[in-house]
Amino acid sequence: MTVYLDYNATAPLRPAALAAMTDALATPGNASSVHGPGRRARRLIEAARDQVAALAGAEPAWITFTSGGTEANNMALKGLPATRVLVSAGEHDSVLQVVPEAERIPLTADGAVDLDALAAALKEAPAGTLVSVMLANNETGVLQPLSEVVALARGAGAWVHCDAVQAAGKIPFDMAALGVDLLTLSAHKLGGPQGTGALLARPELPLNPLLQGGGQERRRRAGTENLAGIAGFGAAAETAREEHSEMQKLVELRDHFEREIKVMAPDVKVFGVQAPRLPNTSCVALAGLSAETQLMALDLAGVAVSSGAACSSGKVQPSHVLTAMGASPQEAGAAIRVSLGWASTRDDIDRLLAAWGDLYRRSRAA
């Protein structure tokens, strides 16, 4: 049986999400119809909206359901009439590639956005400036200083977008308390179905829809809603909110992995270890042992981990995040990401360590 340790790519579907989706798939109504089946479909969508809002500390009316985090990021970055866009250098490609001309704010060696550089960039910010900084990095797990980012942006009169895809379900947060204007979520990162996400946006924003042709989602996203996906998203969000304390227990497993791999190979580098991190994420590298070699060997041993983000058509390539943190090409090309989740166990970590240890000894004997 495969040991699955790639939750930051996608989490296994939670039983509650599967049950909610099965129930929704048996509902024939279109949520825009006024008859009984249509009204039932509408109730399922609005119940899910409440569940997602509760997870994110937001008002249900702020939520627009989308096809995933990528679409939500596109909505945020293309929907606002921004005159200038600032993004952290560690953002996901679904932010970086949406506005390729955006100014990139560097990262510190610990993986956090450089606040001094952001402050300097905001000194003469024109009206309509948009700042986009994620809540937690998908590769290193490093938590970004959002309260400071928001304070700097507010001082310059700028909007703030936060990609919270990796943080949701792993740490508690409150969109209202964060003070951001827009926030992105994705269902499959927290145990919901793939192909469903949400953009949370304050209603006063001049946000133009990407998709037109219908009045769905308060006219912010046209098209018949993905009823089963949204229902599953809601159920996963509710379960994740109830189990936030369980996620904190993953710190013990993550630290056990990092401690033991350092015993086997003292030269292993753990990225972001000095910074606040998600409880489930570890990014490690041993220069000279390529990520591709590690992934293939671990896969053959029945252990699934990843290298960087899982949005590059299966390609293994050096991480732009680690490069922005000052990692050498050798380190960036050797990094693997271990990400735990709701079904992870100590035995999973021990099997990973055994398989990695075998690879390490073979590499040194060659």
Side-chain angles (χ1 to χ4, degrees):
M1 182 176 178
T2 297
V3 172
Y4 187 79
L5 297 172
D6 199 15
Y7 278 72
N8 285 12
T10 196
L13 192 67
R14 292 179 181 270
L18 177 60
M21 293 175 70
T22 301
D23 178 60
L25 286 168
T27 299
N30 184 313
S32 295
S33 299
V34 297
H35 49 55
R39 294 197 303 274
R40 182 170 188 274
R42 172 55 55 193
R43 285 195 297 272
L44 290 179
I45 289 175
E46 297 312 315
R49 204 183 307 276
D50 290 341
Q51 291 168 316
V52 173
L55 175 70
E59 295 296 327
W62 298 357
I63 295 175
T64 300
F65 286 116
T66 68
S67 64
T70 294
E71 183 189 338
N73 283 339
N74 273 260
M75 283 183 66
L77 294 168
K78 293 182 177 179
L80 282 178
T83 57
R84 184 185 181 204
V85 180
L86 306 175
V87 302
S88 88
E91 295 301 302
H92 190 274
D93 277 345
S94 63
V95 168
L96 296 178
Q97 294 189 21
V98 174
V99 189
E101 70 277 12
E103 299 171 54
R104 297 194 185 188
I105 307 302
L107 303 183
T108 66
D110 288 334
V113 63
D114 188 323
L115 293 173
D116 290 337
L118 178 60
L122 286 170
K123 276 187 177 178
E124 296 182 3
T129 294
L130 172 64
V131 177
S132 182
V133 176
M134 57 180 30
L135 185 50
N137 188 267
N138 49 296
E139 297 187 30
T140 64
V142 170
L143 302 179
Q144 299 299 312
L146 253 295
S147 59
E148 292 90 340
V149 169
V150 170
L152 290 171
R154 288 288 174 263
W159 294 307
V160 181
H161 165 248
C162 176
D163 180 344
V165 163
Q166 288 296 343
K170 296 167 187 165
I171 58 170
F173 63 86
D174 186 296
M175 180 180 173
L178 286 175
V180 300
D181 299 292
L182 307 107
L183 184 136
T184 296
L185 300 175
S186 179
H188 75 105
K189 304 295 189 180
L190 50 86
Q194 297 177 12
T196 307
L199 178 66
L200 284 62
R202 296 181 184 276
E204 68 272 13
L205 293 175
L207 189 65
N208 296 312
L210 290 183
L211 301 180
Q212 300 183 9
Q216 294 89 350
E217 293 301 291
R218 295 173 175 81
R219 298 193 175 277
R220 285 195 161 172
R221 185 186 188 268
T224 300
E225 296 93 343
N226 176 2
L227 179 60
I230 290 170
F233 188 4
E238 181 172 331
T239 305
R241 182 172 64 87
E242 293 170 349
E243 296 181 357
H244 268 145
S245 62
E246 296 298 313
M247 292 298 290
Q248 285 303 311
K249 295 178 181 178
L250 297 179
V251 171
E252 298 176 11
L253 298 182
R254 182 200 68 193
D255 290 352
H256 169 61
F257 164 69
E258 293 177 357
R259 184 169 54 249
E260 294 301 316
I261 199 172
K262 291 281 284 185
V263 169
M264 286 188 284
D267 291 339
V268 162
K269 181 169 183 177
V270 182
F271 291 96
V273 69
Q274 300 300 324
R277 287 184 292 164
L278 292 174
N280 79 312
T281 304
S282 180
C283 183
V284 301
L286 182 63
L289 191 58
S290 73
E292 186 170 14
T293 296
Q294 294 178 74
L295 297 188
M296 291 174 62
L298 292 174
D299 187 41
L300 289 172
V303 180
V305 298
S306 71
S307 168
C311 298
S312 301
S313 301
K315 298 177 182 177
V316 179
Q317 53 192 1
S319 160
H320 72 275
V321 175
L322 303 185
T323 300
M325 292 171 65
S328 68
Q330 293 77 20
E331 289 173 332
I336 62 170
R337 180 188 67 190
V338 176
S339 50
L340 318 176
W342 62 269
S344 298
T345 65
R346 173 68 173 257
D347 184 62
D348 292 339
I349 299 300
D350 289 340
R351 284 184 59 187
L352 165 63
L353 286 166
W356 194 90
D358 288 343
L359 169 63
Y360 175 69
R361 286 186 289 272
R362 291 197 304 272
S363 72
R364 290 300 180 261

